[in-house]
Amino acid sequence: MAARFGMEPQAFELTVRATCSPAPKKGEQFRPLTREEFAAFLLVAREYKLNPITREIFAYPKRGGGVVPIVSIDGWVNLVNSHPACDGFKFDEVHDDQGKLYSCECTIYRKDRTHPTAVTEYLSECWRDTDPWKMAHRMLRHKSLIQCARYAFGFAGIFDEEEGQRVAENRITPLPDVRQAPRPPRPDALPAGTETPAEEAENGEGPIIDGVIEETSIEETSGAETDPDLDWSYFDELRDRLSEAPDAATIEEIWTEMDPMARFQEAEDDQKLCLNIKNRRLRALGVAVEE
């Protein structure tokens, strides 16, 4: 890699080490990467042909050891545009009745496929109370492009900055309670008086997994009817992240990171619900599941 950038190996290492970690936020400190972690980081950068000096890719040292490769938006745009099958992409933004941003859909076209890949990201699910999100339109475009790129090209083992920070720090950031901000009606809205799948799930008729209501008993839905204060955000995040996993190995990584069995060690019903979510994604990928 040093030769690729016309540098001596030692100078290259010193330069990349000085630039490959993100700037720590106030009160944060990053431990230096070990030589093994640094080598692993460079292997990922080489695999995806990303430039660590221009910060297309950088690294979070992971709590407990290891490194999390973070790809900046410039890196993601490079990955998409440099892919030989890429045939362009576009964005479609949706605003609510008050003119406020509601969602952004990214569509990526591939030369070797008949149908494009489209992914929609919703502001209520992605927004964070940080300075970058003051430019909500730009940030939501970034989010939709990144997720669409994963589906269209199968990029794995790399994260955007917000995802990577959660993985590196081994923590889960709850999503906003989107039930308090209902989505605006779509052209194919249900007739008046008809419950949406989300309302049916909330009323105890089964959790939503990949847009389908699971036919589970009240016990399997973790007491949805008997516990109106149940926080569904964790289950939503588990489902959403697993739905993006391209293979069984990635599913296990997400499962280990979120560790639902430890989180709900005193709530067997909640553990069962998490297992249902995991097993459904495994089946969707054609992986045999032990019942």
Side-chain angles (χ1 to χ4, degrees):
M1 288 193 69
R4 172 187 166 193
F5 295 108
M7 299 178 66
E8 293 295 328
Q10 186 175 7
F12 175 74
E13 178 177 353
L14 292 173
T15 302
V16 175
R17 279 186 175 274
T19 60
C20 73
S21 290
K25 298 180 176 61
K26 186 176 181 180
E28 285 185 333
Q29 288 186 340
F30 294 126
R31 63 173 176 81
L33 297 176
T34 66
R35 291 191 66 82
E36 292 78 13
E37 291 170 345
F38 183 70
F41 165 69
L42 289 184
L43 287 174
V44 176
R46 185 179 67 176
E47 173 70 20
Y48 286 110
K49 297 181 174 61
L50 294 172
N51 189 341
I53 297 176
T54 58
R55 296 176 67 80
E56 288 182 339
I57 185 170
F58 47 94
Y60 271 119
K62 189 174 182 181
R63 182 178 297 176
V67 62
V68 180
I70 309 296
V71 177
S72 68
I73 184 59
D74 291 336
W76 285 102
V77 172
N78 182 4
L79 285 173
V80 172
N81 282 317
S82 63
H83 196 285
C86 179
D87 198 25
F89 55 90
K90 69 172 185 175
F91 300 99
D92 292 298
E93 296 175 346
V94 174
H95 296 77
D96 62 19
D97 294 339
Q98 287 73 44
K100 295 181 180 179
L101 179 63
Y102 169 65
S103 66
C104 180
E105 180 182 79
C106 177
T107 303
I108 293 179
Y109 299 88
R110 288 186 55 145
K111 301 172 185 176
D112 55 353
R113 292 182 182 173
T114 304
H115 302 289
T117 302
V119 170
T120 301
E121 291 292 310
Y122 299 93
L123 182 64
S124 60
E125 297 176 349
C126 297
W127 187 84
R128 297 289 183 266
D129 189 14
T130 58
D131 285 341
W133 280 98
K134 292 178 180 178
M135 295 181 288
H137 287 76
R138 175 185 294 182
M139 292 298 292
L140 201 58
R141 284 197 299 272
H142 293 175
K143 285 288 189 180
S144 62
L145 173 65
I146 290 169
Q147 299 305 325
C148 193
R150 284 173 166 161
Y151 281 105
F153 301 113
F155 298 133
I158 52 178
F159 305 87
D160 70 20
E161 185 167 0
E162 291 178 348
E163 293 172 322
Q165 195 170 15
R166 293 201 302 270
V167 174
E169 297 175 1
N170 196 23
R171 64 181 174 83
I172 300 298
T173 302
L175 295 172
D177 187 353
V178 296
R179 290 177 295 172
Q180 302 302 320
R183 297 174 179 176
R186 298 172 58 178
D188 56 349
L190 296 171
T194 303
E195 286 187 324
T196 65
E199 290 168 342
E200 292 178 353
E202 189 174 340
N203 290 333
E205 296 182 25
I208 298 177
I209 301 174
D210 294 340
V212 179
I213 300 176
E214 281 283 270
E215 295 181 357
T216 54
S217 65
I218 295 300
E219 289 78 15
E220 289 175 315
T221 58
S222 187
E225 286 191 335
T226 58
D227 184 5
D229 296 325
L230 180 64
D231 180 10
W232 284 89
S233 61
Y234 179 87
F235 301 104
D236 289 340
E237 181 165 4
L238 178 65
R239 177 206 62 205
D240 292 343
R241 294 188 61 188
L242 291 181
S243 69
E244 297 168 1
D247 51 44
T250 306
I251 288 176
E252 290 302 325
E253 290 178 5
I254 296 171
W255 184 262
T256 300
E257 175 201 334
M258 296 189 67
D259 202 2
M261 306 310 284
R263 181 186 180 98
F264 300 115
Q265 59 182 343
E266 297 181 0
E268 184 179 350
D269 291 337
D270 292 342
Q271 289 181 342
K272 289 180 180 179
L273 177 55
C274 292
L275 284 169
N276 285 343
I277 296 173
K278 175 187 178 183
N279 290 340
R280 184 177 182 86
R281 180 54 182 161
L282 286 169
R283 294 190 195 98
L285 293 173
V287 179
V289 176
E290 293 184 6
E291 300 294 344

